[in-house]
Amino acid sequence: MQPKTTPAKKTESKKSADESADTTAASKRRQPVKLLRGMKDILPEQQNYRHAVQKALEDIAVSYSYQRIDTPILEFASLFSKSLGQTTDVVDKEMYVFEDKSGDKVSLRPEFTAGIARAYIEHGMLNRTQPVKLFTTGQLFRHDRPQAGRYRQFNQIDCEIIGGRAPIIDAELIVVAHSLLKELGVNSTVRINSIGSEEDREQYINELVSYLKNNRRKLSEESKKRLTKNPLRVLDSKDEQDQLVIAEAPQIVDWLSEDSKNYFITVLEYLDDIGIPYVLEPTLVRGLDYYNDIVFELYDENEVQGSQSALAGGGRYDGLIELLGGQPAGACGFAIGIERLILAMKANRIGFSEAYIPDVFLAQLGKSAQKYSLGLMERLRGDGFKVRANLVKGSLSAQLKAANKIGSRFTLIIGQKELLDGTIIMRDMESGSQEIIDIKKISDELKKRLQKEPDELIPKVIGPQDEPVELENEDPRKPGNQNRNKNQNQNQNQEVKTTQDKDTGKKKSK
Ligand code: AMP
C-alpha cells in the first residue's frame, strides 16, 4: 500500500520539486549558448588570411576586368531547384529552405551562379558589352554533414563570364582561378573534362544506366539511389567498391559531338600554350544540371592523391540564362571555397609577415597624459603609423608588457613631466634604449627609425624556423589528415618557396 501523504509532507515535496525546477532553470540559464553545428566564428586572428584572399581576388579581378556584383543571400527556392536540378544533392538534401512571413518559399543561397544569372537577366545585362565579367564573394549555406573543410556556412570567391561561348573564355577563366591560387601560394592542378551538350549527355546517360544496372549489386547503397535519381552522380562516388565499377564504365568523351569535342580540344590547347598543368578526368561530371561541355576542378598540387578535396570547381552553363527566362547567352564560371583555400595556404605554410604588428605602442601615465594620448594616437595614425595603446592599463610596467606581447617596434611613453616639457620618451623595444624627443618631431623621428612602407598584407611562405602554422579544424588523428601533415613536414624540410618577395624587397621610408 502506498503511504498516505500528510498535508505537511505534501507541501514539503511540492517545495522540493519547485526548488529542483528552479535549479534546473538556473543551470539552464547558466549554460552558455553554443554555435550551431557546421557554423564557424572567424576570430580576429584568423582575419589576415581572409584579407589576403580578398586583396588577391580584387587585384586579379581588376587586371582581368571583372566587376563586382553582390546578390542577396536569400532568393526564391525555385531559383535553385530550377537551375541546379531537383535531384541534385544540394537542392534535394542541403538547401536551407523555409517559408517567409509573406508565405514565399525562400532559400539561403547554396551557390552563386544561379543568383548571378538571375541578376544578369533582371538587370538587362544583355545590353552591356558582351561578355559580362562578374565576380563576388560571400557566404553560402548547405546543410551537409560537417567535416574538415566542409561547413554549413562557408564562403566562396566566384567569377562568372556571361554572354559568350568561345574556348578562349573557358581558358581565361581557368587561368584566373589558377593564378589566384598561385598568388596566394597554392600551386594547383586542373582536372578537366567535357560533358558535351544536352543531346550528347542523353545518349551517354542511356549507355551509362544500362552498364550500371548490369553492375547494380556491386554498387554502394548511395550509388544505387543515385542510379535511379541522377545516374551521372554515381561517377562522383568516392566509395572504393563504386570506384571499381566506375573504372570500367563507358566514358562520356566517346559520346561527344564533333562540336563539343573540338571545343574541348581547343580549350586544352590554350591551357597547353599558357602552361597551366591539367589532367584529363573522364569521370568528372560536377553533378549540377546546368553544366554543359567544359567542367573542371582545381586541386592543391602538393596534396597527396586520394585524400583530396577540390579547392575550386566550375564549368560552362550555356543553357541556364535561357532556362531562367533570358535570351540565350553562353556562360561559364568557377567558385573557390575560401575556407578550403585557407586550409591549403596553411598546409603550404603560407603565413604573413608583419601583418597587424603595430609600429608604435603608446603608453601613458596619469589622467592628463591619458587624455592627451587619444589625440596623439589620431595624429600618428594620420601620419600613416599603425598605433596601439591600452588606455585602461594602469602601471607603466603593465603597458610595456602589453607592448612587448604584441611586438611593437617602439613604445612612446608620455607622463605629466613630458606633457609639461612638450616631449615624449621613445623606447626601442629591441634594445631597451630610451630617448627624449620633441613631441612635434615625433612622426619624423619614427619615420627615420622605422624605414618602412605602410602596412600591406602580403602572403609569404614561412620558413621552418617560423612558428608552426596551426591547421584550423584539422585533427591529425582524423583519417585523411595524416597525409596533409606528412606533406607539411616534408615542406618543412624543403627549401622555402617564395611566392612573392614584395614583403622583403620594400624598404622605402614613409
Ligand atoms: P561547388 O559550389 O560545390 O562546386 O564548390 C566549389 C568549392 O566550394 C569547392 O571546391 C570547395 O572549395 C567549396 N565548398 C563547397 N562546399 C563547401 C562546404 N560545405 N564547406 C566549405 N567549402 C565548400
Side-chain angles (χ1 to χ4, degrees):
M1 246 178 81
Q2 285 272 331
K4 258 192 171 177
T5 323
T6 62
K9 270 191 182 154
K10 242 189 194 167
T11 330
E12 223 168 70
S13 67
K14 183 172 181 307
K15 206 167 135 195
S16 77
D18 285 352
E19 269 166 13
S20 88
D22 276 357
T23 28
T24 326
S27 78
K28 264 198 183 149
R29 265 202 305 278
R30 273 199 301 275
Q31 265 175 21
V33 179
K34 293 251 176 71
L35 190 69
L36 273 174
R37 189 158 180 254
M39 304 285 165
K40 195 167 175 286
D41 294 315
I42 302 151
L43 301 176
E45 55 275 21
Q46 295 160 347
Q47 298 289 347
N48 51 3
Y49 281 89
R50 286 170 192 263
H51 282 164
V53 169
Q54 289 288 349
K55 191 174 175 301
L57 169 67
E58 272 152 30
D59 288 352
I60 289 199
V62 166
S63 66
Y64 281 90
S65 34
Y66 285 76
Q67 290 180 302
R68 180 159 187 124
I69 185 168
D70 286 293
T71 59
I73 288 179
L74 214 54
E75 298 264 9
F76 281 113
S78 55
L79 171 69
F80 302 109
S81 48
K82 205 167 174 182
S83 309
L84 280 66
Q86 194 65 55
T87 58
T88 53
D89 281 356
V90 174
V91 172
D92 189 29
K93 300 185 191 153
E94 296 166 8
M95 282 217 299
Y96 280 84
V97 185
F98 57 96
E99 208 173 88
D100 72 5
K101 288 191 171 146
S102 339
D104 288 323
K105 196 175 165 196
V106 295
S107 169
L108 296 178
R109 63 186 178 198
E111 59 112 56
F112 280 118
T113 306
I116 293 178
R118 175 201 49 70
Y120 175 89
I121 301 164
E122 209 160 334
H123 299 283
M125 290 194 212
L126 184 68
N127 299 320
R128 300 184 184 195
T129 310
Q130 302 294 299
V132 175
K133 295 164 97 178
L134 302 166
F135 80 97
T136 196
T137 57
Q139 295 100 338
L140 303 169
F141 301 82
R142 294 182 195 171
H143 198 275
D144 200 357
R145 196 169 60 80
Q147 50 192 288
R150 188 170 292 280
Y151 313 103
R152 289 182 176 168
Q153 177 181 324
F154 60 100
N155 290 264
Q156 277 185 350
I157 287 166
D158 185 90
C159 290
E160 311 284 350
I161 305 184
I162 311 183
R165 177 183 159 87
I168 195 149
I169 295 180
D170 303 59
E172 187 207 278
L173 203 69
I174 294 170
V175 170
V176 168
H178 188 264
S179 307
L180 187 51
L181 296 179
K182 193 162 183 200
E183 187 75 11
L184 291 161
V186 180
N187 286 324
S188 61
T189 301
V190 179
R191 297 189 188 171
I192 189 165
N193 192 22
S194 172
I195 54 167
S197 66
E198 210 178 324
E199 299 78 58
D200 300 342
R201 229 164 22 252
E202 239 168 62
Q203 291 180 32
Y204 169 69
I205 288 173
N206 286 339
E207 192 68 22
L208 179 70
V209 168
S210 83
Y211 167 81
L212 292 175
K213 277 188 177 159
N214 288 339
N215 290 279
R216 198 169 187 283
R217 63 195 163 75
K218 297 186 204 152
L219 291 176
S220 66
E221 285 313 306
E222 185 58 33
S223 286
K224 279 180 191 151
K225 275 190 227 154
R226 284 177 175 174
L227 175 55
T228 38
K229 275 169 59 179
N230 190 346
L232 269 187
R233 292 274 289 129
V234 174
L235 301 178
D236 281 341
S237 170
K238 300 278 174 285
D239 182 282
E240 273 179 30
Q241 272 307 108
D242 290 345
Q243 285 287 324
L244 296 176
V245 179
I246 293 164
E248 301 294 318
Q251 295 189 347
I252 195 155
V253 283
D254 298 324
W255 269 260
L256 295 184
S257 61
E258 273 311 296
D259 178 43
S260 286
K261 211 181 284 172
N262 289 334
Y263 196 97
F264 188 25
I265 291 169
T266 317
V267 172
L268 297 179
E269 281 170 358
Y270 281 124
L271 296 182
D272 285 331
D273 287 349
I274 308 163
I276 300 280
Y278 65 83
V279 283
L280 300 178
E281 190 72 57
T283 58
L284 180 69
V285 287
R286 302 227 0 102
L288 303 182
D289 280 6
Y290 56 57
Y291 285 123
N292 64 277
D293 287 300
I294 307 301
V295 285
F296 59 89
E297 286 179 343
L298 280 82
Y299 287 77
D300 180 353
E301 197 181 76
N302 286 329
E303 260 202 278
V304 180
Q305 197 92 23
S307 67
Q308 295 178 305
S309 44
L311 295 175
R316 178 152 282 282
Y317 53 94
D318 291 328
L320 182 62
I321 302 291
E322 196 177 2
L323 179 80
L324 295 177
Q327 297 291 322
C332 59
F334 74 81
I336 300 178
I338 293 182
E339 285 75 11
R340 278 199 212 160
L341 168 56
I342 292 173
L343 285 174
M345 287 169 76
K346 290 181 178 179
N348 282 284
R349 304 197 58 72
I350 303 297
F352 298 93
S353 56
E354 297 180 17
Y356 298 133
I357 297 174
D359 301 318
V360 264
F361 187 92
L362 201 52
Q364 31 65 41
L365 288 167
K367 273 259 169 302
S368 329
Q370 191 183 42
K371 213 165 148 199
Y372 183 81
S373 294
L374 258 186
L376 181 58
M377 258 166 85
E378 278 316 293
R379 210 178 91 197
L380 290 169
R381 282 207 188 102
D383 288 343
F385 299 103
K386 291 178 285 167
V387 195
R388 278 282 284 276
N390 189 335
L391 297 173
V392 290
K393 273 217 159 54
S395 72
L396 180 61
S397 72
Q399 294 184 65
L400 288 178
K401 226 170 163 179
N404 237 334
K405 200 167 166 201
I406 57 175
S408 74
R409 181 75 181 78
F410 292 98
T411 296
L412 299 176
I413 306 166
I414 187 157
Q416 197 63 26
K417 180 176 180 306
E418 288 73 29
L419 259 189
L420 291 173
D421 295 353
T423 57
I424 199 158
I425 299 170
M426 182 188 284
R427 183 184 173 93
D428 185 324
M429 297 303 283
E430 269 169 25
S431 66
S433 64
Q434 296 192 167
E435 287 171 77
I436 297 173
I437 310 240
D438 180 347
I439 194 114
K440 290 194 219 83
K441 297 192 180 141
I442 189 65
S443 289
D444 291 338
E445 292 298 323
L446 275 172
K447 265 179 209 169
K448 254 192 255 163
R449 285 164 176 78
L450 283 163
Q451 293 263 308
K452 63 188 277 301
E453 285 210 341
D455 178 40
E456 230 184 293
L457 264 178
I458 299 165
K460 64 154 195 171
V461 176
I462 56 171
Q465 74 279 16
D466 292 309
E467 290 267 303
V469 177
E470 221 180 275
L471 293 179
E472 270 178 78
N473 287 340
E474 291 283 85
D475 181 346
R477 289 159 303 187
K478 279 190 197 152
N481 288 343
Q482 290 95 337
N483 283 333
R484 171 173 276 152
N485 290 330
K486 198 168 86 195
N487 196 38
Q488 198 177 322
N489 293 337
Q490 275 168 2
N491 280 346
Q492 283 189 24
N493 300 329
Q494 280 165 8
E495 209 186 320
V496 177
K497 296 174 289 176
T498 323
T499 50
Q500 297 177 340
D501 285 325
K502 290 181 220 158
D503 51 341
T504 48
K506 288 181 185 169
K507 283 277 174 203
K508 278 193 274 162
S509 63
K510 275 189 248 188

